[in-house]
Amino acid sequence: MAFEKLDLDPLFAKIEELKPQFIDRLARAVAIPSVSGDELLRPRVVDMAHFLVSELENLGAHDIQLKDLGTQPPPVADASLQLPPIVLARFGADKSKKTVLVYGHYDVQPALKEDGWATEPFTMHHDEAAQILYGRGTTDDKGPVMGWLNVVEAHNALGLELPVNLVCCFEGMEESGSLGLDGLIAQEAQQYFLSVDTVCISDNYWLGTTKPVLTYGLRGCNYYQIAIKGPGADLHSGIFGGVIAEPMVDLVQVMAKLVDNKGKILIPGVDEMVAPLTEKEDALYDDIDFSVDELHAAAGSETGLYNNKKDILKHRWRYPSLSIHGVEGAFYGPGAKTVIPSRVVGKFSIRTVPDIDSAKLDKLVIEYVQKVFGELSSQNQLNVELIHDGAYWVSDPFNESFTAASKATEHVWNIKPDFTREGGSIPITLTFEQELKTQVLLLPMGRGDDGAHSINEKLNVSNYINGCKTLGGYLHYYGRQ
Amino acid sequence: MAFEKLDLDPLFAKIEELKPQFIDRLARAVAIPSVSGDELLRPRVVDMAHFLVSELENLGAHDIQLKDLGTQPPPVADASLQLPPIVLARFGADKSKKTVLVYGHYDVQPALKEDGWATEPFTMHHDEAAQILYGRGTTDDKGPVMGWLNVVEAHNALGLELPVNLVCCFEGMEESGSLGLDGLIAQEAQQYFLSVDTVCISDNYWLGTTKPVLTYGLRGCNYYQIAIKGPGADLHSGIFGGVIAEPMVDLVQVMAKLVDNKGKILIPGVDEMVAPLTEKEDALYDDIDFSVDELHAAAGSETGLYNNKKDILKHRWRYPSLSIHGVEGAFYGPGAKTVIPSRVVGKFSIRTVPDIDSAKLDKLVIEYVQKVFGELSSQNQLNVELIHDGAYWVSDPFNESFTAASKATEHVWNIKPDFTREGGSIPITLTFEQELKTQVLLLPMGRGDDGAHSINEKLNVSNYINGCKTLGGYLHYYGRQ
């Protein structure tokens, strides 16, 4: 290795020794269905916050706080719905040490066995033969959050001081727009987070399945819904078919004008805001360890829009995309139901990149949808709105935090990580950078095929355990600088 | 009245007296969630068959048979799924009397409280003030099925013989294409149904809310699904948005080409098969008691495609329509989920009318969808198929069965019924007519605003009780001829 290696053997040995306990901790976390997008499961999201408090207390954290974020703003079914709290905690308060804020989220995406999971999504399944942990949240993001707790536990077991002061910030609304977190960070910037030197976020994935990466860029995400309302209640298509204006027919017409099936966004003005590709940036994509086959493996199909590495990476990292996620209010079950839905809500989102202006994008999208709907001359009522947004982010991959993470990664995995960007959105990255005026590092634990947001979400045991070593190693390399 | 009135006062008085028991019978039927479209609820559909057997036994029926229809053909999740049985029973075997086959169905549409019901759909709610019975199946079709049982009970209580031999045929798959019933009717035409003189089906609704009708025509329904499959599993739109061909985007493009939002079917060749409108037929619509306001009241909105009675009735009764019902496999919940669904199934149906050839329609639809999808040059896989179909039907409204029903209706309601057609489909009407070579009568019990297939399905108590009188009166007027 081209750098001075620290002696992390005792720490890494202890992490190996504690593997069964660490797997058990993750299983207990997965067992709590903390789905932030499902109002009915909100109490379980809160349960998950209390689980974290209990673990943090047992590990000796101090100044543990549950930050109340108040009620959730509309659209919500329950107007008095409370946001889940943000969990804050500290380990160490040594002024001679640097202070690292570690962020993760304890909420998860929805999951139902009926969606096609091979095992119960909220009962972690340890495939002993393949050494894989299956369950909702294993990789996104309960694995990494447990990873930080595991690093502390390993130090405690060794009687070893942490090399830095650690500030934990774990939120429960990441999968639903991180509502309330921006405000909390702004509010605590000069309070709880006053002494923070850098921020480390472990909430993304390797590009492929074999080589670790550090991530210095993210796309943003603006999520919209198109609600179209007609009849007062769902109607029988035998009685009303042909005589009533069907909201679902309007919606399909509007959604068909959002994006073509080659990925081209049809909303005028969006592509024009994208930063031009320079020769220098174009060259960067040459060296990334990635192949079309890896895309196929991760997608489980050979239905990609591009057949070469560079185009795939560019369209994942530096170009916007528009995805249509589904329809609320229409028939969604198997079989045949002869219903005319009275109110349907189409869901779509646009992944944003430099230099798209988020407010300008919203204006373009909303006015375009209104224009397309207007051209239908429908008697139905349209309401198009932004549900949530998160900005894109790009950082300097050669700052001291990235350098420390690069050393730790190479120490654990015996290979230099690739420096990558991500197609996904972690809006809070930018907020931390701006509010705390610090560097932010994205240090992923899982692999590109982990299936975050999908059925059969998983985390390989090697990624979990080596991930713990990498997180711990990062603190040591960063703390020494 | 312009006809000789029978003395039905004792029967009608007994029906009034037994009202509490009749309402209780319907409540017990509604309590069984016999949703034929939900494979997981299939055991409850079978429970409902056994409930009928028990009631029939108590009323003194003989020759009760549960006809096994074997396994349900694909597409099904459970390849060994058994169809619910058809319940056959007889009251009376007097060769000097005519024999009336009464048909109804004991299965219902899906219903969940969360769909927006004011009360639990499978707990019948008797609104005493409004005298309305709310619950899934109250009007479609448990109310009418209980109606036939109630007519027998009233005769039994009076020690009065039924004026005809009654043959009951109650099926459990009507809401899911009446699978197996065609075969059963053909098989029993010369067996169980050998002596049947006429068939009476009570499974539709008044046109409006105040005037009873008899129905002599029905549209058919061909129900299709468009399945588009891409990735091996649902994917995260951050990671895969812009680099993978999204099945949902393909589906929206295809569905947008099925029908325009003024109701025009865009599939070439369909409208060309529709029987031309003659002047004589056009004039028939002049006298029907119906108004645009009634459409608005039933739909709960003023979003109709036509602003005059005749166009509304024609487009409900004698023109085809195409409705888009929903999408299986996409995100359908509230809130935001950043998923790229791996396989989506669009559901739509076409209401058919004379002289549309069903097989030719299927060919036109399937080839058109394949052509439109082909023009997208998508890497995803398309599978378009007919899920089920039922033919349209038109009868002679002046035959002896309709005449008897007209007298009974006028006797009970003191007004001549309108002779109407229906937009909805009762495919089995045609099968009975063809296989048994008899007349078929449609004698509705509920009102046009009952909300069959919708939330808050209801049956007015007056329609239930006067409906029982009308069914009973029909047997007497028909039996006397």
Side-chain angles (χ1 to χ4, degrees):
Chain A
M1 301 198 184
F3 60 89
E4 188 195 341
K5 226 167 133 180
L6 295 180
D7 177 14
L8 299 174
D9 290 350
L11 177 64
F12 291 179
K14 181 56 74 178
I15 287 172
E16 286 290 344
E17 181 191 326
L18 291 171
K19 180 155 74 173
Q21 288 90 316
F22 293 171
I23 289 174
D24 175 65
R25 174 174 281 134
L26 182 54
R28 287 182 286 128
V30 168
I32 302 170
S34 50
V35 178
S36 57
D38 183 341
E39 294 187 27
L40 299 175
L41 286 174
R42 185 59 52 86
R44 310 310 309 275
V45 185
V46 175
D47 288 349
M48 186 65 202
H50 289 286
F51 169 84
L52 286 174
V53 168
S54 166
E55 294 290 303
L56 288 162
E57 282 173 347
N58 292 341
L59 292 168
H62 59 99
D63 197 8
I64 300 174
Q65 299 190 19
L66 284 179
K67 289 292 185 184
D68 178 15
L69 300 176
T71 56
Q72 184 167 331
V76 282
D78 171 7
S80 68
L81 187 72
Q82 294 295 302
L83 289 166
I86 287 171
V87 179
L88 301 180
R90 296 181 194 281
F91 293 94
D94 182 339
K95 288 197 158 59
S96 69
K97 291 178 181 172
K98 289 184 182 168
T99 299
V100 177
L101 184 152
V102 299
Y103 162 90
H105 65 89
Y106 61 82
D107 65 317
V108 295
Q109 282 279 313
L112 294 171
K113 178 79 158 61
E114 305 88 271
D115 294 341
W117 285 71
T119 57
E120 286 293 337
F122 296 107
T123 303
M124 195 174 85
H125 173 64
H126 184 176
D127 181 336
E128 300 270 359
Q131 282 299 296
I132 293 176
L133 307 168
Y134 288 97
R136 176 55 89 221
T138 47
T139 198
D140 181 20
D141 184 43
K142 290 178 174 175
V145 169
M146 297 306 116
W148 292 115
L149 304 183
N150 297 342
V151 166
V152 174
E153 182 172 351
H155 281 82
N156 289 354
L158 288 165
L160 183 67
E161 268 194 33
L162 287 171
V164 298
N165 302 313
L166 208 61
V167 173
C168 298
C169 175
F170 300 138
E171 72 154 324
M173 281 297 282
E174 198 274 342
E175 301 294 2
S176 300
S178 289
L179 300 176
L181 183 57
D182 278 355
L184 186 279
I185 294 170
Q187 173 194 311
E188 299 297 335
Q190 299 304 315
Q191 310 285 334
Y192 204 100
F193 301 153
L194 182 61
S195 58
V196 169
D197 293 298
T198 199
V199 173
C200 178
I201 297 176
S202 186
D203 186 23
N204 66 313
Y205 318 96
W206 296 355
L207 186 54
T209 59
T210 57
K211 194 174 175 191
V213 309
L214 302 178
T215 304
Y216 69 97
L218 294 166
R219 293 197 290 187
C221 181
N222 286 23
Y223 201 111
Y224 303 93
Q225 66 178 29
I226 302 170
I228 300 181
K229 186 177 174 352
D234 287 357
L235 301 176
H236 187 306
S237 68
I239 305 175
F240 293 95
V243 299
I244 205 88
E246 302 192 13
M248 186 66 182
V249 170
D250 288 341
L251 180 63
V252 163
Q253 297 293 339
V254 173
M255 291 203 300
K257 301 239 166 89
L258 297 174
V259 64
D260 76 15
N261 83 322
K262 304 305 170 208
K264 178 167 172 52
I265 296 173
L266 302 177
I267 303 166
V270 176
D271 284 344
E272 288 78 351
M273 288 194 283
V274 176
L277 178 71
T278 62
E279 267 185 51
K280 188 180 162 202
E281 186 195 335
D282 188 73
L284 281 178
Y285 299 98
D286 288 328
D287 296 331
I288 304 289
D289 182 42
F290 185 72
S291 74
V292 178
D293 288 346
E294 280 179 276
L295 174 70
H296 292 166
S301 67
E302 300 191 1
T303 56
L305 294 172
Y306 302 96
N307 59 8
N308 68 86
K309 178 180 85 173
K310 289 182 69 171
D311 275 337
I312 293 168
L313 295 180
K314 283 185 232 168
H315 281 273
R316 173 176 286 182
W317 295 350
R318 64 106 54 226
Y319 287 119
S321 63
L322 190 155
S323 293
I324 300 177
H325 306 295
V327 179
E328 179 185 351
F331 176 49
Y332 59 81
K337 186 179 179 185
T338 51
V339 66
I340 296 174
S342 62
R343 179 178 180 268
V344 288
V345 185
K347 312 284 181 95
F348 71 100
S349 67
I350 296 177
R351 296 285 162 177
T352 58
V353 296
D355 299 316
I356 289 178
D357 179 283
S358 179
K360 188 175 170 196
L361 178 67
D362 295 345
K363 190 164 181 290
L364 286 173
V365 168
I366 289 170
E367 289 180 356
Y368 177 76
V369 169
Q370 287 169 337
K371 174 175 159 286
V372 169
F373 181 78
E375 287 165 359
L376 295 175
S377 301
S378 174
Q379 296 113 302
N380 294 319
Q381 291 176 323
L382 169 77
N383 183 35
V384 51
E385 61 184 326
L386 176 81
I387 308 185
H388 75 74
D389 58 358
Y392 59 82
W393 166 78
V394 180
S395 176
D396 167 18
F398 304 108
N399 66 33
E400 63 178 339
S401 186
F402 273 91
T403 302
S406 178
K407 288 176 182 172
T409 303
E410 188 172 350
H411 191 149
V412 173
W413 293 95
N414 288 311
I415 189 167
K416 272 190 191 300
D418 273 337
F419 286 83
T420 63
R421 288 162 69 169
E422 265 276 5
S425 155
I426 312 175
I428 216 56
T429 309
L430 193 66
T431 309
F432 277 121
E433 189 178 84
Q434 292 173 340
E435 294 290 343
L436 306 192
K437 298 176 176 54
T438 61
Q439 301 156 358
V440 179
L441 162 73
L442 300 191
L443 180 50
M445 176 179 272
R447 301 185 186 184
D449 68 348
D450 279 354
H453 293 213
S454 173
I455 58 167
N456 300 320
E457 179 181 344
K458 61 91 176 168
L459 179 65
N460 291 65
V461 173
S462 62
N463 281 60
Y464 185 43
I465 299 303
N466 280 345
C468 292
K469 294 178 194 168
T470 306
L471 298 181
Y474 162 70
L475 299 182
H476 281 269
Y477 280 103
Y478 181 76
R480 194 196 49 167
Q481 287 171 327
Chain B
M1 302 197 184
F3 59 90
E4 187 195 345
K5 225 166 136 182
L6 295 181
D7 177 15
L8 299 173
D9 291 349
L11 177 63
F12 292 179
K14 181 57 75 179
I15 287 172
E16 285 291 342
E17 179 192 329
L18 290 171
K19 180 155 74 172
Q21 288 90 318
F22 293 171
I23 290 174
D24 175 66
R25 175 174 280 135
L26 183 54
R28 286 182 287 128
V30 168
I32 302 170
S34 50
V35 178
S36 57
D38 183 342
E39 294 189 25
L40 300 176
L41 286 175
R42 186 58 53 86
R44 309 310 309 277
V45 185
V46 175
D47 288 349
M48 186 64 203
H50 289 287
F51 168 86
L52 286 174
V53 168
S54 166
E55 295 289 302
L56 288 162
E57 282 173 347
N58 291 340
L59 292 167
H62 58 99
D63 199 7
I64 299 174
Q65 299 190 18
L66 284 179
K67 287 293 185 182
D68 178 15
L69 300 176
T71 55
Q72 184 166 333
V76 282
D78 171 8
S80 68
L81 186 72
Q82 294 294 301
L83 289 166
I86 287 169
V87 179
L88 301 180
R90 294 181 196 281
F91 293 94
D94 182 340
K95 287 197 158 62
S96 70
K97 291 180 181 170
K98 289 183 182 167
T99 298
V100 178
L101 185 151
V102 298
Y103 161 90
H105 64 89
Y106 62 81
D107 64 319
V108 295
Q109 282 279 313
L112 295 171
K113 179 79 158 64
E114 305 88 272
D115 293 342
W117 285 70
T119 57
E120 285 294 337
F122 296 107
T123 303
M124 194 174 85
H125 172 64
H126 183 176
D127 181 334
E128 301 269 359
Q131 281 300 298
I132 294 176
L133 306 168
Y134 288 98
R136 176 57 88 220
T138 45
T139 197
D140 181 19
D141 185 43
K142 289 177 174 175
V145 170
M146 296 308 116
W148 292 116
L149 304 183
N150 296 343
V151 166
V152 174
E153 182 172 350
H155 281 82
N156 289 354
L158 289 165
L160 183 67
E161 266 194 36
L162 285 171
V164 298
N165 302 313
L166 207 60
V167 173
C168 299
C169 175
F170 299 139
E171 71 154 324
M173 281 297 281
E174 198 274 343
E175 301 295 1
S176 301
S178 289
L179 300 176
L181 182 57
D182 278 354
L184 185 278
I185 293 171
Q187 174 195 307
E188 299 298 334
Q190 299 302 316
Q191 310 285 333
Y192 204 100
F193 302 152
L194 182 60
S195 57
V196 168
D197 294 298
T198 198
V199 173
C200 179
I201 297 178
S202 186
D203 185 23
N204 65 312
Y205 318 96
W206 295 356
L207 187 54
T209 59
T210 57
K211 192 173 177 192
V213 309
L214 300 178
T215 305
Y216 68 97
L218 294 166
R219 292 197 292 187
C221 182
N222 285 22
Y223 201 111
Y224 304 93
Q225 66 178 29
I226 303 170
I228 301 182
K229 187 182 173 346
D234 287 356
L235 301 176
H236 187 306
S237 68
I239 304 176
F240 293 95
V243 300
I244 205 87
E246 301 191 14
M248 186 67 182
V249 170
D250 288 342
L251 180 63
V252 163
Q253 297 293 338
V254 173
M255 291 202 302
K257 301 238 167 90
L258 297 174
V259 65
D260 76 15
N261 82 323
K262 303 305 169 210
K264 178 168 173 52
I265 296 173
L266 302 176
I267 303 165
V270 176
D271 284 343
E272 288 78 350
M273 288 193 284
V274 176
L277 178 72
T278 61
E279 269 183 50
K280 186 181 163 202
E281 187 195 336
D282 188 74
L284 281 178
Y285 300 96
D286 289 327
D287 296 331
I288 304 288
D289 181 40
F290 186 73
S291 72
V292 179
D293 288 345
E294 281 180 276
L295 174 69
H296 293 167
S301 67
E302 301 192 359
T303 57
L305 293 171
Y306 303 95
N307 59 6
N308 66 85
K309 177 180 86 174
K310 289 182 71 172
D311 276 337
I312 293 168
L313 294 179
K314 284 185 231 168
H315 282 273
R316 174 177 285 181
W317 294 350
R318 62 106 55 227
Y319 287 119
S321 63
L322 191 156
S323 294
I324 301 178
H325 306 294
V327 179
E328 179 185 350
F331 176 49
Y332 59 82
K337 186 178 179 185
T338 52
V339 65
I340 296 175
S342 63
R343 178 178 180 270
V344 288
V345 185
K347 312 284 180 90
F348 71 99
S349 66
I350 295 177
R351 296 285 161 176
T352 59
V353 296
D355 298 313
I356 290 179
D357 180 285
S358 179
K360 187 175 170 196
L361 178 67
D362 295 345
K363 190 166 181 289
L364 287 174
V365 168
I366 288 170
E367 289 180 356
Y368 177 76
V369 169
Q370 287 169 338
K371 174 176 158 283
V372 170
F373 181 78
E375 287 166 359
L376 296 175
S377 301
S378 174
Q379 296 113 303
N380 294 319
Q381 291 176 324
L382 170 77
N383 183 33
V384 51
E385 60 184 327
L386 177 80
I387 308 183
H388 76 73
D389 59 357
Y392 60 82
W393 165 79
V394 180
S395 176
D396 166 18
F398 305 107
N399 66 34
E400 62 179 339
S401 187
F402 273 89
T403 302
S406 177
K407 289 176 183 172
T409 304
E410 189 173 348
H411 191 149
V412 172
W413 294 94
N414 288 311
I415 189 167
K416 271 190 193 300
D418 272 337
F419 286 82
T420 64
R421 287 162 69 169
E422 265 275 6
S425 155
I426 311 174
I428 216 58
T429 310
L430 194 66
T431 309
F432 276 121
E433 187 177 84
Q434 292 173 341
E435 294 292 342
L436 304 192
K437 296 175 178 56
T438 61
Q439 301 156 357
V440 179
L441 161 72
L442 301 191
L443 180 48
M445 175 178 272
R447 302 185 185 182
D449 68 347
D450 278 355
H453 295 212
S454 172
I455 58 168
N456 300 322
E457 179 181 345
K458 60 92 177 168
L459 179 65
N460 292 65
V461 172
S462 61
N463 281 60
Y464 185 43
I465 298 305
N466 280 346
C468 292
K469 294 177 194 169
T470 307
L471 298 180
Y474 161 69
L475 299 181
H476 282 270
Y477 279 104
Y478 181 75
R480 195 196 49 168
Q481 289 172 324

